Amino acid sequence: MMIKLGVLASGRGSNFQSIINSIDRGALDAEIACLITDNPTAYAIERAKLHKIPHVYANPNGYASKDVYYRSIADELQFCGVELIVLAGFMRVVRKPLIDAFPMRIVNIHPSLLPSFKGMHAHMQALEYGVRISGCTVHFVDEGVDSGPIILQEAVPVFSDDTVESLSARILECEHRILPLAIKLYIEGKLRVTGNIVKIGD
Ligand code: GAR
């Protein structure tokens, strides 16, 4: 069954593009009903225009509080008939009004093997820690920072001469694989969440 996705992005939007591409090649039975950005100059907006995807700039400074901001985003997404929200490079911690409106129906991609290196600058954190392996994680969003139930992860090696740029490029390739795959598993009803554990199966 075709479902409607809502995507939230703050910048370049390459993960947003990976979802568009998966839909276009028939790998995802979904429609992107709306892109919401918190940044009026996000390149993701250009991608939305190119693919005729409705897009909304939600100015985070234009609301009385963060809760009101997220309530209005929830309203917008509900109005569009969105079933699953995808945080694709959305650089904010989403708040309770949005999470309560879409319980276990928000997924996020993060560029580290959670629970390591939560929050901002995950690649820099990994390099500074000296790990030999890093990667990316798709998880359901709860009220913590990068803390919800893990759906998929993919690992990459970290080399001694890596920079933030080289490591993020290596991880990004994996992000573009596992984010659409996690959405596909969701659409196919293959994700069962018990507490913090996600079981994948029929
Ligand atoms: C991606 O690497 C994503 O994992 C990361 O931002 C980048 C966005 O790239 N997200 C976070 O760090 C969230 N905490 P994109 O705009 O090209 O998809």
Side-chain angles (χ1 to χ4, degrees):
M1 190 195 64
M2 162 98 86
I3 76 158
K4 290 190 176 178
L5 305 175
V7 176
L8 272 60
S10 298
R12 177 179 59 185
S14 72
N15 278 290
F16 173 45
Q17 188 71 50
S18 77
I19 303 167
I20 295 172
N21 295 347
S22 296
I23 293 172
D24 283 354
R25 22 166 229 281
L28 268 187
D29 193 15
E31 171 195 342
I32 303 176
C34 187
L35 168 76
I36 294 184
T37 69
D38 60 343
N39 167 11
T41 63
Y43 188 67
I45 296 171
E46 305 308 316
R47 299 181 193 270
K49 285 182 185 161
L50 267 172
H51 293 273
K52 302 198 168 29
I53 294 167
H55 54 93
V56 173
Y57 163 53
N59 180 352
N61 302 315
Y63 297 83
S65 69
K66 285 185 179 165
D67 278 3
V68 176
Y69 180 61
Y70 286 105
R71 182 64 254 168
S72 90
I73 289 178
D75 289 347
E76 181 69 37
L77 294 169
Q78 281 171 334
F79 177 76
C80 296
V82 163
E83 172 169 343
L84 180 69
I85 300 174
V86 183
L87 308 184
F90 188 65
M91 296 305 181
R92 289 173 189 276
V93 178
V94 304
R95 302 277 286 235
K96 199 168 163 24
L98 184 60
I99 296 164
D100 286 353
F102 290 86
M104 289 300 148
R105 291 198 286 132
I106 309 175
V107 298
N108 178 45
I109 177 86
H110 185 76
S112 74
L113 293 177
L114 291 173
S116 293
F117 314 130
K118 296 176 176 183
M120 299 296 282
H121 310 300
H123 310 98
M124 178 67 86
Q125 291 185 56
L127 291 174
E128 285 178 350
Y129 202 93
V131 292
R132 302 290 186 221
I133 293 174
S134 191
C136 52
T137 304
V138 185
H139 64 94
F140 283 110
V141 172
D142 64 11
E143 281 179 52
V145 176
D146 300 323
S147 65
I150 290 172
I151 303 168
L152 292 174
Q153 293 186 303
E154 191 171 330
V156 303
V158 181
F159 302 119
S160 54
D161 60 351
D162 261 328
T163 60
V164 167
E165 289 69 34
S166 62
L167 179 59
S168 51
R170 193 174 306 124
I171 292 176
L172 201 60
E173 271 187 44
C174 305
E175 294 185 36
H176 296 163
R177 261 193 301 276
I178 69 170
L179 182 58
L181 181 55
I183 297 169
K184 183 175 158 66
L185 292 169
Y186 177 93
I187 293 171
E188 291 173 346
K190 291 191 173 154
L191 303 178
R192 298 269 173 276
V193 187
T194 313
N196 206 47
I197 304 298
V198 179
K199 285 223 162 74
I200 300 177
D202 290 313

